[in-house]
Amino acid sequence: MSNHTKTPIHYTAILTLPTVYRVCGCCGALRPRYKRLVDNIFPEDPEDGLVKANMEKLTFYALSAPEKLDRIGAYLSERLSRDVARHRYGYVCIAMEALDQLLMACHCQSINLFVESFLKMVRKLLESDKPSLQILGTNSMFYSFFVKFANIEEDTPSYHRSYDFFVSRFSEMCHSSYEDPDIRTKIRMAGIKGLQGVVRKTVNDELQANIWDPQHMDKIVPSLLFNLQSGERTESRSPSPLQASEKEKESPVDLTERCFRELLGRAAYGNIKNAVTPVLMHLDNHSLWEGKTFAVRCFKIIMYSIQSQHSHLVIQQLLGHLDANSKNSATVRAGIVEVLLEAAAIAASGSVGPTVLEVFNTLLRQLRLSVDYELTGSYDGSTNIGTKIIKAHEERQLQEAVIRTIGCSFANTLPTYQRSEVMLFIMGKIPVPGVHPALPSTGFQTTNMLTALPSSFIEPLLSFSLTEDPEVRLLVLQILLSLIDRHDNTPKFSNIRYVCVYISVLKLKVDKCSRQDNLFMKKHGQQLYRHIYLGCKEESSGRQHYETLFALLGLLSVELANEEVVVDLIRLALALQDLALSTDEAMPVFNRCAVHALAAAYLNLICQLTTVPAFCQHIHEVIEVRQKESPYLLPEDVFIDNPKLPSSLEKVEGDVLFLQSKITEVLGGSGYNTERLATPYIPQYTDEDRLSKRKSIGETISLQVEVESRNSPEKEEVKTKTEEITFETLKNAIVDSVGMEEQERERRRQVVEKFQKAPFEEIAAHCGARATLLQSKLNQIFEITIRPPPSPSGTISSGYGQSQSRSVPIYEMKFPDLCVY
């Protein structure tokens, strides 16, 4: 009785409690077993950690009764939420450890519901303001969930499961600005690991959310780039040996780069755009194109990480972005072009894509726009006060970057047959002359010059070599050098002053001329000789022009020369000497001396290549005489900064000249064609030379219109009777010459204006009339030249008493019996 009086039972208080608490409080054994097992894993003191023996019991129970797994997860989630609210973080860690062990041990069909409880608990931790809880939730999710289930396809889709919150939260953690730098680094690394886990889980699982959607990529990619960029700023401040631990942990930059590469490596064909677009936008928003370094690094990671067959998609996106920024500053456009340069160098051969010409079209369009911006001084062509003014030197840097990209990257990735097509395409889109950066070595090498440089390309290229703009002529000569040089001999001809000694020091690479090279020179040799000759006549040619012409002659001699070509080149050199001696040509003193020096240098080169002793003796004797009497006729005194030239060059004769008769005699004894050597070289002027003599490339269209107008039926001239030439006729011709030129210019202007302003129907009718006239002429020719044979029956008489053959169809002809079987 005494015991009962010490501990009285207050039944009234018990009855006032809810039913659930009355049952569980009084009868603990009546609680569900899974709850009792869960409660038993928590110690009285959280510092003691998880009760391992009870955890093993809980794990065994979950494996034995998998249908209870979802309830275990829900109850653990409930306890964790309560402990988080009460700031009992020790029990929170124990709950997460228990969840991790259950998740790693169990795998059954009902795992989906348990996963939902797990994700709910992780979400609760990520929503906390405590960095330790955020890091705990991320690590638990990464190592327990993502690592195990990343490569396991779930049996049933979880349509209600969403990773939007985790993508947003992990991205936010990547941008953490926590005050303590160590904790800030841990939070950012946790965010990067979280994004990596989400990508691994969802990237290839069709039953999960599409992680490649722009709403996700616009968060994931900028977060990774932010950490890459932050790492670049801290790399220079490396820790001291005392601060660095022996086992140095992975830095956020390394983890970010690995995660970024993994993301890009999993991108399929249709996902490349969604992955690259956020990169472009991030570089735009943070003005990172101008620095170039970070932008180049980003796209190097992209190009090396994606599948090689997708490289052209990245290049096309860069080209499109370049067009979109066509009115942005030159530094931004130059940065995009530099990235293009690096990306194209990494791309595999042929990965530029099917639209090769579109690539060059975009780059050339940017080059043209840059030249226009530089000339006008603004982006919209106006000079208003409110217009954004550009900087000329920045535009020039952009132009050089575009040319390097075209020549060094894209052109090098193309096969030989496409290079000539692209160069021809570029020829038709050359911008206004005036800005011609130095050409880099393009590495254009081919074994068949005939196919690599077809007529459709070399003819328009040579036509540009006769323009009045000296920079354009020099550019064309440099292009020819880069195309013809297949053994890197051009640098050895760069200094013409030292070639007049002995060429053995040059160590030239000379190969035997192939059959294709012979055909090429037979087809295009005379064109090349003529343009070299005409190029030497140009009054605006300077020292660099003559040095480049000498290099061109030297390359022809070592790359494409056979016996016939050697003879023609010697004739050309002697013709240049005659050109410098001619009094008909109004050439300045410098140009005459330069042509003499060029001829001397080349004859010295070719005589040593032919190795004919008598030929070499004659050339060296003339050079020695010039050194004593006329040093201004040699390269040493002409091609220098301050050339030593006479005031006039009237009498150049005697032993200072190379004699064609003497050269013909000595070479004839060695088997060369003396008849051809004795024939002076006279260039044949063509309509192409006349049409090419223009002030700028922009006049090409007007000249084409002029040619068409002269061939039009409206301007067809009627043959007139022969006039008697008298003194008055000559006088009138001289007086009217100026007026005729004015009329010719006015007529050309009217023709150009007509084609610019006339309606399309009128131009079509004009062209149709030309086609009709041509067809009628062809019909007349066919009627005259192509007739069926006359009938054996004889002839018929014409209206003028003459007999003519009557055309009879073959099926009506009568053949002898011997011819029929």
Side-chain angles (χ1 to χ4, degrees):
M1 292 294 294
S2 61
N3 292 336
H4 290 287
T5 58
K6 290 181 180 180
T7 56
I9 301 174
H10 300 280
Y11 295 101
T12 306
I14 294 175
L15 293 175
T16 59
L17 294 174
T19 305
V20 176
Y21 287 95
R22 279 185 283 154
V23 173
C24 296
C26 299
C27 306
L30 297 178
R31 298 181 65 211
R33 185 181 179 189
Y34 71 90
K35 286 188 178 182
R36 285 185 279 120
L37 291 173
V38 169
D39 291 337
N40 291 337
I41 67 174
F42 292 92
E44 293 183 2
D45 186 359
E47 293 183 1
D48 294 338
L50 183 67
V51 181
K52 296 183 178 179
N54 294 336
M55 186 63 212
E56 292 177 359
K57 295 178 182 179
L58 178 61
T59 304
F60 178 78
Y61 176 77
L63 292 173
S64 303
E67 68 276 3
K68 301 292 185 179
L69 189 60
D70 58 328
R71 298 185 182 183
I72 295 174
Y75 184 60
L76 275 171
S77 178
E78 179 185 344
R79 287 203 54 149
L80 182 137
S81 300
R82 184 169 64 248
D83 292 335
V84 170
R86 296 177 180 177
H87 304 289
R88 298 164 61 178
Y89 301 124
Y91 288 120
V92 171
C93 295
I94 294 174
M96 290 305 302
E97 184 180 356
L99 276 170
D100 293 343
Q101 292 190 21
L102 287 174
L103 193 63
M104 296 299 292
C106 301
H107 181 68
C108 56
Q109 294 181 353
S110 59
I111 194 69
N112 278 349
L113 297 177
F114 180 74
V115 167
E116 297 304 324
S117 299
F118 175 80
L119 295 178
K120 182 179 178 181
M121 296 171 65
V122 172
R123 179 168 183 166
K124 190 70 176 179
L125 295 179
L126 294 177
E127 289 174 345
S128 174
D129 296 334
K130 293 287 184 180
S132 57
L133 296 184
Q134 298 175 14
I135 297 172
L136 174 64
T138 303
N139 291 336
S140 178
M141 187 174 185
F142 181 80
Y143 293 108
S144 300
F145 178 66
F146 290 140
V147 172
K148 178 176 180 181
F149 292 96
N151 299 320
I152 298 177
E153 294 186 3
E154 300 180 23
D155 300 330
T156 57
S158 301
Y159 297 108
H160 58 285
R161 186 185 304 168
S162 175
Y163 293 96
D164 295 351
F165 167 78
F166 296 104
V167 172
S168 301
R169 185 56 180 157
F170 289 143
S171 300
E172 183 180 350
M173 292 171 64
C174 289
H175 292 82
S176 174
S177 57
Y178 201 82
E179 295 180 357
D180 189 338
D182 294 334
I183 297 178
R184 181 173 62 242
T185 300
K186 292 180 180 179
I187 295 175
R188 290 184 179 181
M189 291 189 68
I192 297 169
K193 287 181 180 178
L195 291 177
Q196 186 180 22
V198 172
V199 170
R200 287 182 179 178
K201 176 59 181 172
T202 60
V203 69
N204 293 324
D205 196 345
E206 297 179 356
L207 303 179
Q208 304 295 338
N210 188 5
I211 201 66
W212 299 108
D213 286 343
Q215 60 177 347
H216 299 311
M217 286 290 106
D218 292 345
K219 298 175 184 177
I220 295 175
V221 174
S223 301
L224 298 177
L225 296 180
F226 173 78
N227 283 274
L228 272 180
Q229 183 185 357
S230 301
E232 280 195 341
R233 292 195 295 264
T234 58
E235 278 180 357
S236 59
R237 302 192 299 270
S238 58
S240 63
L242 296 176
Q243 295 173 336
S245 60
E246 295 181 359
K247 294 182 179 180
E248 187 176 356
K249 296 182 179 180
E250 187 178 34
S251 65
V253 180
D254 297 333
L255 178 61
T256 302
E257 183 173 341
R258 192 172 72 249
C259 180
F260 193 34
R261 290 181 183 275
E262 184 178 346
L263 173 67
L264 296 168
R266 296 172 181 266
Y269 180 87
N271 302 325
I272 294 294
K273 182 178 180 180
N274 290 345
V276 175
T277 300
V279 179
L280 301 174
M281 300 306 297
H282 181 84
L283 298 175
D284 286 344
N285 296 335
H286 296 274
S287 302
L288 296 173
W289 292 112
E290 299 178 4
K292 301 178 184 177
T293 305
F294 180 71
V296 169
R297 181 186 178 189
C298 288
F299 275 89
K300 279 186 175 181
I301 294 175
I302 293 173
M303 297 303 294
Y304 281 121
S305 301
I306 63 174
Q307 301 178 40
S308 59
Q309 64 269 26
H310 300 159
S311 298
H312 69 278
L313 297 176
V314 179
I315 293 176
Q316 288 177 357
Q317 276 194 268
L318 282 170
L319 292 171
H321 197 67
L322 181 61
D323 277 342
N325 287 271
S326 58
K327 290 191 176 182
N328 211 326
S329 64
T331 53
V332 171
R333 286 177 283 139
I336 300 175
V337 172
E338 287 290 341
V339 172
L340 264 171
L341 175 65
E342 297 293 337
I346 297 172
S349 178
S351 67
V352 178
T355 56
V356 176
L357 294 182
E358 274 303 312
V359 172
F360 292 93
N361 192 26
T362 301
L363 293 174
L364 290 171
R365 181 166 59 250
Q366 292 299 321
L367 183 60
R368 183 183 296 274
L369 286 174
S370 178
V371 174
D372 291 342
Y373 294 158
E374 183 182 357
L375 295 177
T376 59
S378 63
Y379 292 115
D380 55 4
S382 63
T383 56
N384 298 330
I385 298 178
T387 304
K388 184 179 179 181
I389 304 302
I390 66 170
K391 297 179 181 178
H393 71 279
E394 293 180 353
E395 293 295 337
R396 292 194 188 99
Q397 291 176 357
L398 169 65
Q399 293 156 19
E400 293 175 4
V402 172
I403 292 175
R404 285 198 307 272
T405 304
I406 292 175
C408 298
S409 296
F410 289 106
N412 279 346
T413 63
L414 298 177
T416 301
Y417 71 91
Q418 276 190 334
R419 294 183 188 180
S420 59
E421 295 178 1
V422 169
M423 287 188 287
L424 180 60
F425 176 77
I426 294 174
M427 291 288 297
K429 293 183 175 290
I430 289 181
V432 178
V435 179
H436 303 293
L439 284 179
S441 176
T442 60
F444 182 91
Q445 295 184 356
T446 179
T447 56
N448 193 341
M449 297 292 294
L450 197 61
T451 57
L453 300 177
S455 301
S456 59
F457 168 69
I458 197 170
E459 290 177 1
L461 178 65
L462 290 176
S463 69
F464 284 122
S465 69
L466 300 179
T467 60
E468 291 187 0
D469 190 334
E471 294 187 8
V472 175
R473 296 203 308 273
L474 182 61
L475 180 65
V476 172
L477 291 174
Q478 291 173 344
I479 293 174
L480 281 174
L481 291 181
S482 64
L483 296 178
I484 296 176
D485 188 9
R486 293 174 290 185
H487 299 90
D488 296 327
N489 286 319
T490 299
K492 301 169 184 177
F493 295 117
S494 59
N495 199 332
I496 187 176
R497 289 175 293 166
Y498 300 123
V499 179
C500 274
V501 191
Y502 293 100
I503 67 168
S504 58
V505 297
L506 299 180
K507 298 180 180 180
L508 298 172
K509 297 179 181 179
V510 184
D511 285 344
K512 185 178 180 181
C513 191
S514 64
R515 179 175 177 272
Q516 290 81 5
D517 293 342
N518 291 335
L519 293 175
F520 175 80
M521 290 304 296
K522 186 170 294 186
K523 185 174 183 179
H524 300 294
Q526 295 302 321
Q527 286 179 290
L528 293 170
Y529 306 150
R530 184 173 70 252
H531 284 81
I532 293 173
Y533 183 89
L534 297 177
C536 292
K537 287 181 61 177
E538 293 290 341
E539 296 182 10
S540 59
S541 293
R543 168 186 169 183
Q544 197 170 3
H545 290 82
Y546 290 109
E547 290 178 343
T548 310
L549 285 169
F550 170 76
L552 179 58
L553 286 169
L555 285 179
L556 291 176
S557 303
V558 299
E559 294 283 352
L560 302 170
N562 53 26
E563 184 176 317
E564 182 179 348
V565 172
V566 170
V567 170
D568 287 340
L569 290 173
I570 294 174
R571 293 172 59 226
L572 175 60
L574 294 172
L576 292 177
Q577 178 179 259
D578 296 339
L579 171 66
L581 294 171
S582 175
T583 57
D584 297 335
E585 301 291 342
M587 295 176 63
V589 175
F590 169 78
N591 294 72
R592 291 182 182 275
C593 293
V595 173
H596 275 296
L598 172 63
Y602 177 69
L603 288 174
N604 176 72
L605 171 69
I606 196 66
C607 76
Q608 296 183 59
L609 290 175
T610 55
T611 64
V612 178
F615 183 27
C616 295
Q617 181 181 357
H618 173 67
I619 300 301
H620 292 161
E621 288 176 354
V622 174
I623 290 177
E624 289 176 0
V625 174
R626 288 190 178 188
Q627 290 174 342
K628 296 178 181 179
E629 301 179 3
S630 306
Y632 49 82
L633 300 181
L634 293 175
E636 293 89 336
D637 283 19
V638 178
F639 301 118
I640 56 179
D641 294 334
N642 297 312
K644 304 173 183 179
L645 304 178
S647 57
S648 61
L649 198 67
E650 298 178 354
K651 295 183 179 180
V652 179
E653 56 187 6
D655 295 337
V656 298
L657 297 179
F658 302 100
L659 302 179
Q660 185 162 6
S661 58
K662 180 67 175 178
I663 293 175
T664 301
E665 178 184 350
V666 296
L667 289 180
S670 298
Y672 286 87
N673 189 340
T674 56
E675 182 179 354
R676 191 175 183 85
L677 276 169
T679 306
Y681 173 78
I682 301 176
Q684 300 296 324
Y685 293 91
T686 63
D687 290 339
E688 173 197 357
D689 303 330
R690 180 181 63 82
L691 295 177
S692 298
K693 190 67 176 178
R694 53 188 182 275
K695 294 183 179 179
S696 68
I697 302 174
E699 297 182 12
T700 307
I701 300 176
S702 62
L703 289 169
Q704 292 174 349
V705 173
E706 176 190 355
V707 174
E708 292 180 358
S709 65
R710 291 197 174 190
N711 294 331
S712 64
E714 300 175 1
K715 299 293 181 180
E716 185 176 7
E717 298 180 357
V718 181
K719 294 182 179 179
T720 58
K721 297 181 179 180
T722 305
E723 294 185 8
E724 182 179 359
I725 300 177
T726 62
F727 175 80
E728 290 295 326
T729 305
L730 296 176
K731 180 179 178 180
N732 293 335
I734 295 173
V735 172
D736 294 339
S737 60
V738 178
M740 291 294 293
E741 292 179 359
E742 292 292 333
Q743 293 178 6
E744 179 70 12
R745 282 196 291 269
E746 179 63 19
R747 187 189 63 79
R748 289 174 56 188
R749 188 191 65 79
Q750 292 177 357
V751 171
V752 173
E753 184 177 2
K754 174 182 177 182
F755 274 84
Q756 288 178 344
K757 298 182 179 180
F760 175 79
E761 292 77 9
E762 183 178 344
I763 297 176
H766 173 72
C767 296
R770 290 182 55 196
T772 304
L773 177 64
L774 176 62
Q775 187 62 44
S776 64
K777 296 297 182 183
L778 289 175
N779 291 337
Q780 294 178 15
I781 294 172
F782 293 153
E783 182 66 22
I784 294 173
T785 59
I786 305 175
R787 293 173 178 267
S791 171
S793 60
T795 61
I796 58 175
S797 60
S798 64
Y800 298 98
Q802 300 175 351
S803 62
Q804 69 179 40
S805 300
R806 179 169 62 90
S807 298
V808 180
I810 296 178
Y811 59 84
E812 293 183 0
M813 292 182 182
K814 297 180 180 180
F815 295 93
D817 294 339
L818 294 176
C819 298
V820 180
Y821 60 93

